Amino acid sequence: EVQLVESGGGLVQPGGSLRLSCAASGFAFSNYAMHWVRQAPGKGLEYVSAISSNGYNTDYANSVKGRFTISRDNSKNTLYLQMGSLRAEDMAVYYCARVARGKFDYWGQGTLVTVSS
Amino acid sequence: DIQMTQSPSSLSASIGGRVTITCRASQSINRYLNWYQQKPGKAPKLLIYDAASLQSGVPSRFSGSGSGTDFTLTISSLQPEDFATYYCQQSFSTPYSFGQGTKLEIK
């Protein structure tokens, strides 16, 4: 059974940092690109970042470029999102998702990031 | 970046009824269009991929159509569990952008 389990969310002050993790199981993690997608309270889905299966290629939404870093450890079947210089507008539930031919076929349950002083 | 626009933003319908949700891309995306269902407090769930292909396990009352810039999601014979928010997403080019969502409520 495919499972994606996010962790690392929590309360952080504006300007602070946080690292999210997404532990994958039930599939060959190293064969799939992965994405982070976020959802602010009461809002829609927003692309955050993507990484290729081997980790060599990454991409970011303009809103997080230069502040967030996506990475993966295929030996540990884990995806990461290092978030820095956090702002109030970064507050959201962050989902990791497996990407298969462009479709997000499996999602984690999400982890909530709250940015507040 | 490709912009995705859904309409309507919300709609109400009755159990057993039929609804259609529209998604328009800011440029041609061929058939690289996916649809997701999201219920409150839950992760999105893939329903339709490549505009018209039904994801495994999704009931056949869900169907998708379209190509180029205009796409539709149709739900026939609405069931209580179908009342949720629906999102389209293009997978033609990164960033894989989403529509703003359509909330389907019970009439």
Side-chain angles (χ1 to χ4, degrees):
Chain A
E1 178 194 7
V2 172
Q3 281 199 316
L4 298 170
V5 180
E6 299 98 337
S7 61
L11 174 64
V12 61
Q13 292 187 339
S17 300
L18 212 55
R19 188 177 84 156
L20 306 183
S21 299
C22 170
S25 61
F27 67 102
F29 180 70
S30 60
N31 288 352
Y32 289 86
M34 299 292 294
H35 275 58
W36 286 99
V37 176
R38 69 185 180 185
Q39 187 169 36
K43 302 297 184 182
L45 301 171
E46 180 189 14
Y47 163 82
V48 174
S49 184
I51 189 167
S52 60
S53 58
N54 58 16
Y56 290 168
N57 296 301
T58 59
D59 186 65
Y60 301 91
N62 289 334
S63 58
V64 308
K65 201 169 291 184
R67 300 187 298 121
F68 290 12
T69 302
I70 191 172
S71 62
R72 64 191 296 162
D73 186 337
N74 286 346
S75 68
K76 295 183 177 179
N77 291 341
T78 303
L79 173 72
Y80 302 100
L81 185 68
Q82 179 69 48
M83 304 187 295
S85 302
L86 282 162
R87 307 166 180 168
E89 55 265 35
D90 296 319
M91 184 162 64
V93 174
Y94 284 72
Y95 296 101
C96 62
R98 188 181 87 165
V99 182
R101 290 178 57 241
K103 61 185 187 288
F104 295 62
D105 61 350
Y106 287 93
W107 298 65
Q109 84 288 352
T111 187
L112 176 62
V113 173
T114 302
V115 183
S116 175
S117 54
Chain B
D1 296 359
I2 298 173
Q3 308 303 315
M4 306 300 294
T5 304
Q6 288 180 234
S7 60
S9 296
S10 64
L11 75 160
S12 59
S14 302
I15 302 293
R18 176 188 178 100
V19 296
T20 297
I21 299 168
T22 296
C23 179
R24 175 165 289 176
S26 60
Q27 67 181 72
S28 176
I29 57 171
N30 295 334
R31 294 178 64 82
Y32 295 102
L33 191 284
N34 308 312
W35 290 98
Y36 301 85
Q37 175 194 66
Q38 187 181 33
K39 297 182 179 179
K42 300 294 187 181
K45 171 188 172 183
L46 177 66
L47 298 176
I48 302 282
Y49 63 94
D50 295 343
S53 296
L54 199 64
Q55 176 70 353
S56 175
V58 175
S60 59
R61 62 182 181 272
F62 291 91
S63 63
S65 66
S67 65
T69 60
D70 295 314
F71 302 85
T72 59
L73 172 69
T74 298
I75 314 171
S76 60
S77 188
L78 280 164
Q79 300 300 301
E81 60 268 29
D82 299 336
F83 292 91
T85 300
Y86 293 86
Y87 294 92
C88 63
Q89 173 244 332
Q90 62 84 16
S91 54
F92 178 78
S93 66
T94 56
Y96 292 155
S97 43
F98 293 89
Q100 81 278 16
T102 296
K103 186 173 183 179
L104 175 58
E105 298 175 308
I106 299 177
K107 183 182 287 184

